[in-house]
Every structure is written in structure tokens, then in C-alpha cells.
Amino acid sequence: MGEILRETVSALEKEESSEEAQAQLDIWKYIFGFVEPAVVKCAIELGIAEAIENNGGPMTFSELSSTLGCDPSLLNRIMRFLTHRNIFKAIPTSTSTNHGYSYAQTPLSRRLMRNDKHSMAAFILLETSPVMLAPWHSLSACVLANGNTSFEKAHGQDVWKYAAENLDHSNLINDAMACHANLTVPAIIEDYSEVFDGINSLVDVGGGNGTAMSIVAKACSWIRAINFDLQHVIDKAPEIERVEHVAGDMFVQVPKADAAFIMAVLHDWGDEECIQILKKCREAIPKENGRVIIAEVVIEEGGNKERLKDTRLMLDMVMMAHTNLGKERTLKEWDHVIKMAGFSTYTVKSIKNIVNYVIMAFP
Ligand SMILES: C[S@@+](CC[C@H](N)C(=O)[O-])C[C@H]1O[C@@H](n2cnc3c(N)ncnc32)[C@H](O)[C@@H]1O
């Protein structure tokens, strides 16, 4: 018996010391974690990915620094940092004049180009903008006060009113959301095209600059697409073939269509507002065969360590910092708002490699 106890204690001690060792390594991530997005933002602003892409192939260091007009010793350190993370690939070269490397694109570095179909540049620029970083400084004050108003504390009004009065910031949000739509909508069409079956008209509620509907209109030529958003967003939206832009307030009325699509909007709002928006969506669609297609995060309960779960939990923190009552919801929380909005049934499907699920709610 004594032997078993000694073995158990020694196993626990070993586990504790390996956790200690791991913590000693992991803690640096929390001290310097902000450095990664900050340097990536710098790379986007410098246009490193575009320079290499425009070169049509790997670019020597001296070509890169002279094209960008950068201080070579500083750029060299930036490139060392980025290539260590597989953002650009360093290819050893023989001449001594080019710091020993040429640089090529990688799948990650291509996502830093502003005009690429996989671009996430605008999303990174939004999240690292002074406007979006400021609310993080009052997160603890807001949690202590039991109210999620970090953005209001920093800027005196909620994010949507702030955007309406600061059109540069509004454009940054719209461009960032277009990156999100470019990533998510093709994945939904590929993995779950049935959502659009039998629909002749579709309204995207809070559709931003219309990117989602432009993708749907191209892929499903039979669908008449409506992009619905606030007036200041619609005023700046580009003309898109076979997409009608409509301005309005989703809390008042949603344009009528066979189905409503609503992506990354409900998570900006608390449950009561969410129920109001869903009721307006329900009123906009036919009772028979109508549907609301909700593309949102579902927070999985339990301890699963799936990689996207971490991204979903981060998004939940972003909602806390950037909206008043917004949050990412568990299935139980979705069940509550969908039923309270008067829908009779719904289905839930996860989509491969993206953070959003598709919830289809039926009147
Ligand atoms: C997080 S963005 C999502 C954009 C887009 N659905 C996407 O996923 O790419 C939220 C959108 O809701 C819009 N919005 C906010 N309040 C609104 C309202 N009262 N009526 C209509 N749209 C609104 C914003 O202007 C913004 O475009």
C-alpha cells in the first residue's frame, strides 16, 4: 500500500514539474504575444508581400529593401522574425551583398496582400487599429462593473454609431468583413450548397459592402440577391452585378425575400436584441418554406481542444471588448434566442475549416 502511495506521489510530482517547465516556456506568449500582430501589421503597411508577388518570384534582400525603400538592417530583422513563422520563405543565396537570402511567398504571406482572394490584410489592420485596440485597456474595468462596455468607455459610443460618424473606420470594418465573407461564403457553398436550394430571392441582413451576396449571386445564378445594411454602409458599397443594395435598420424592418442570410451580425448583440433581429428576419420570409440562414460561431461545451475552438473563444473576447452585449453562443444559448424569436425548428451544421457554423431556422 505504502509503495503504491509513493509511486502516485512521485507521478504527481513529475507531472507538476513538467507543468512548471511548460509554464516557464508558455508565459512568454502572454508577455510578448502582441508582437506578432504588430509586426504583421507592419509587413502589410510596408507592402512586403505585394513587392515579392510583383517580382514574379523570389526576391533578393537588396532588391526587396530598395523596392520598399526600407532601412536594410531593420528590414533584415523584420524578415528574420517573419520567416521564423513561415510568413515568407528565406532561400539561402550565395552572394554576400544580399544578406545571404532571397525571399519567396508562402500561403501565410499571401494572406497579407491587400488584393488577393485569400487576403486577410484588412481584417488584421482593423483589429490592430488604435480604435479597436483602445477598448482592450478597459476590459477589466468593464468586467468589474458587470457591463460589457469597453468600446463605449474608450470612444463614448457603441461601435456602429462610432462607425457612422467616422467613415474611415467604417470602411476599415467593411473591408475587414469582406475578407471574412471571402473566406466563409465559398466554404459554405462548397460544403453545404443545399442551404440555397429552392430560394429565388435572398436578403443578407447586415451584409456590409455586399461581398457575401456577390459570391452567392455568382455561384447561384437563379438567386436575386439583396444586400441590406445601414445607410452609411450602403452609401459606400460598390455596384455589384445582380445584387441590389438596400439601406435600412434591421431592428425596424428587413426587406422581404424567400430567405434571409445573416452572418457575424447576431454575435454583436445581446439576447434581447438578437431575438428582435431574428423576429424581423422571420417577418421578412414566407411562413411556408421560408428560412433564415445564420452563419455564426457555436461555442462547443466541454474540454475539446480543436484548434478552431481557440479562435472561437478569442472571438468571444473580441465581442466583449468591441460590442456592448455581444457574445459567441453555445448551442443552448442559440436554442434560446431562436425559439424566443418564434422559429419552430432549426438545424445546425459545422463547416470544414471555418469558424462559423450554419444554423438554418424555419418559421
Ligand atoms: C460584423 S459586421 C458583419 C458583416 C457581414 N455580414 C460579414 O460577415 O462579412 C456587422 C454588420 O451589421 C451592420 N449593422 C449594424 N447595425 C445594423 C442595423 N441596425 N441594421 C442593419 N445593419 C446593421 C453593420 O453595419 C455591419 O455591416
Side-chain angles (χ1 to χ4, degrees), residues 49 156 164 180 191 274 298 327:
H180 175 251
D191 208 25
C274 207
V298 176
K327 59 181 176 183

Side-chain angles (χ1 to χ4, degrees), residues 292 294 331-336 338-339 343-348 358-363:
V292 178
I294 303 167
L331 209 45
K332 204 166 148 200
E333 290 170 313
W334 279 119
D335 182 82
H336 171 71
I338 290 169
K339 289 203 174 132
F343 290 90
S344 61
T345 56
Y346 64 91
T347 58
V348 184
V358 171
I359 303 174
M360 267 211 279
F362 303 93

